[in-house]
Amino acid sequence: MQSELQYIELYRGQRSLIHQYSAPAMNALRDAAASDFQRLGLPTRKQERYRYTDMQALFAPDYGLNLRRLAIPVDPYEAFRCDVPNLSTQLYFVVNDAFHGVSSPNNSLPEGVEVGSLKTYAEEHPDFVAAHYGQLAHTADDAVTALNTMLAQDGLLIHVAANVKADKAIQVINILRSDVALMANRRVLIVVDEGAEATLLFCDHAADDLPFLTTQVVEVFMGERSSLQLYCLEETHYRNTRVSNVYIDQQAQSQVHHGSITLHNGISRNSLHVALRGEGASCTLNGCVIADKEQHVDNNTLIDHIACSCTSRELYKYVLDEKAVGAFAGKVLVRPGAQHTESQETNQNLCATPDARMYTQPMLEIYADDVKCSHGSTVGQLNDAALFYMQQRGISQKEAKTLLQQAFVGEVIDQIALAPLRDRLRYLVEKRFRGELNKCDGCKLCK
């Protein structure tokens, strides 16, 4: 109980201050979340879902928190050059865990699309937020979700009204900025109503070479026949720790494409829970991880087939070098009555050195008899025959290794629908494998 004790005492001592700088709709869940967090305690490796990451160690340091919501001195346009070239987006910023009021002057959201501060929206539309906030991310089930709900004071709200099609991608740059070691508790609420369509791109960057701990809880509500492409790109640094829980609820005939790309990080633990609640819903989950040094990336996914005639596709690929550690645990649950389910889950991994470690655990749990489900995983090294073949044709061993690694993760990159983002990621992946600077051209924030 040592790691969680500091957070329990923090909430008890600063409860009124936390409430003061947030909104009633968010405050309404805090006390119950605090009780759940105290009851659950931080996860240990004995718990199946957290067996590959030492959560107690991650939360043990004493991080600062911005409970008084002081303005953080940062010019978000310093991050604008991290934008993907040739991709026309609606650009917004979140600094640590607060929505930044400055956005791109070129933003022109269509009627029916709202992007802004979750706190402000909760004050102006309390009934709407109360109807969605915390309805997927249940604090009784997960300690990190409970901790985030207990401490989060602001966040991001994205709402796409019924039958509205957002013609431009909405890009959100999450900037970590501080003068001291900092904990940020980021909250995101996404509501895509019936028949609506949207494309979202989240980019994580760190402005300072300091230890950061980020908890993130994302709730996504998908109405009937709605469509969402959600891409998450992490480019931080080795002193950054991120624990992210994403919950997606899909109604009938809705479609979700979720892409997770980790190019630079310290320790990342990502949980993704998709509930296919309506008949004919479909989801595609793709992930790409490139890690070296002593980086740690743990992806845990659950696809819950509740309704019949739903489809899920999942592909995660890791390339691990030096002493990096990767983990993937993916579970597909087919409930009774979810007949005509189709599901395919694949995890493929490359360990470029003997010291790299990969833990993989694909799982199927099926309670229906008319389904088509498959799963599989592989862990291996680069093909010696292919390396030899390329060297025989004048390609150096280092270059051959880079080309093979690029081709390996290319299957994930190729499934990104946005062509400019797809091309930009190919460029960033190539730079990553070549060990070049881990920042976009001209960027002043990404160290």
Side-chain angles (χ1 to χ4, degrees), residues 197-219:
E197 297 181 8
T199 298
L200 308 178
L201 170 60
F202 289 86
C203 303
D204 283 13
H205 300 282
D208 296 292
D209 187 16
L210 288 168
F212 289 98
L213 170 62
T214 302
T215 71
Q216 175 177 269
V217 173
V218 181
E219 295 178 281

Side-chain angles (χ1 to χ4, degrees), residues 306-310 334-341 367-371:
I306 301 172
C308 64
S309 302
C310 293
V334 182
R335 294 182 181 269
Q339 304 293 356
H340 310 297
T341 289
Y367 299 97
D369 55 11
D370 188 5
V371 301

Side-chain angles (χ1 to χ4, degrees), residues 320-351:
L320 306 176
D321 207 341
E322 299 178 329
K323 296 183 179 180
V325 176
F328 172 82
K331 181 177 180 179
V332 175
L333 171 61
V334 182
R335 294 182 181 269
Q339 304 293 356
H340 310 297
T341 289
E342 293 190 20
S343 178
Q344 182 178 9
E345 178 186 34
T346 305
N347 173 227
Q348 297 176 332
N349 312 282
L350 281 178
C351 291

Side-chain angles (χ1 to χ4, degrees), residues 220-234:
V220 182
F221 294 82
M222 300 295 298
E224 293 185 3
R225 301 185 308 282
S226 60
S227 177
L228 175 67
Q229 295 180 51
L230 175 58
Y231 302 107
C232 303
L233 172 63
E234 184 177 6

Side-chain angles (χ1 to χ4, degrees), residues 268-289:
S268 298
R269 203 276 177 178
N270 304 311
S271 174
L272 176 58
H273 182 174
V274 181
L276 300 171
R277 199 173 301 277
E279 183 177 350
S282 65
C283 70
T284 300
L285 313 183
N286 292 322
C288 171
V289 174

Side-chain angles (χ1 to χ4, degrees), residues 53-289:
T53 302
D54 188 350
M55 302 299 289
Q56 294 277 338
L58 298 189
F59 286 85
D62 184 12
Y63 290 92
L65 287 95
N66 185 11
L67 299 182
R68 294 185 181 274
R69 318 312 294 164
L70 301 176
I72 304 298
V74 60
D75 180 359
Y77 286 103
E78 291 292 318
F80 185 75
R81 293 188 183 182
C82 289
D83 189 17
V84 180
N86 304 318
L87 178 61
S88 179
T89 63
Q90 313 280 3
L91 184 63
Y92 297 89
F93 301 92
V94 173
V95 179
N96 297 329
D97 51 18
F99 180 78
H100 198 281
V102 176
S103 61
S104 170
N106 296 323
N107 284 355
S108 180
L109 291 172
E111 184 177 355
V113 179
E114 298 178 87
V115 179
S117 162
L118 178 58
K119 172 183 177 293
T120 301
Y121 200 85
E123 292 170 339
E124 297 174 351
H125 307 276
D127 293 341
F128 179 88
V129 173
H132 295 89
Y133 185 77
Q135 300 307 302
L136 301 180
H138 299 140
T139 60
D141 299 334
D142 185 87
V144 175
T145 295
L147 177 62
N148 179 278
T149 304
M150 181 176 76
L151 297 178
Q153 295 170 281
D154 193 7
L156 176 70
L157 180 285
I158 299 176
H159 179 209
V160 185
N163 300 314
V164 173
K165 295 177 174 53
D167 54 347
K168 288 186 179 181
I170 297 171
Q171 182 176 8
V172 179
I173 297 181
N174 297 312
I175 304 172
L176 293 172
R177 169 75 179 90
S178 179
D179 296 326
V180 297
L182 183 73
M183 178 183 186
N185 297 288
R186 186 185 305 141
R187 196 72 181 221
V188 181
L189 177 59
I190 301 169
V191 181
V192 185
D193 287 337
E194 179 181 347
E197 297 181 8
T199 298
L200 308 178
L201 170 60
F202 289 86
C203 303
D204 283 13
H205 300 282
D208 296 292
D209 187 16
L210 288 168
F212 289 98
L213 170 62
T214 302
T215 71
Q216 175 177 269
V217 173
V218 181
E219 295 178 281
V220 182
F221 294 82
M222 300 295 298
E224 293 185 3
R225 301 185 308 282
S226 60
S227 177
L228 175 67
Q229 295 180 51
L230 175 58
Y231 302 107
C232 303
L233 172 63
E234 184 177 6
E235 286 186 283
T236 54
H237 56 60
Y238 74 101
R239 304 181 75 181
N240 184 67
T241 298
R242 188 183 82 160
V243 182
S244 174
N245 291 350
V246 178
Y247 302 87
I248 302 176
D249 185 88
Q250 295 187 232
Q251 298 301 317
Q253 303 297 323
S254 62
Q255 299 179 358
V256 168
H257 185 137
H258 183 278
S260 174
I261 301 98
T262 303
L263 292 184
H264 290 281
N265 75 309
I267 300 175
S268 298
R269 203 276 177 178
N270 304 311
S271 174
L272 176 58
H273 182 174
V274 181
L276 300 171
R277 199 173 301 277
E279 183 177 350
S282 65
C283 70
T284 300
L285 313 183
N286 292 322
C288 171
V289 174

Side-chain angles (χ1 to χ4, degrees), residues 423-435:
D423 294 340
R424 181 60 172 174
L425 284 174
R426 289 194 185 107
Y427 169 74
L428 292 176
V429 165
E430 180 181 359
K431 290 188 69 175
R432 182 71 172 89
F433 282 132
R434 295 186 186 281

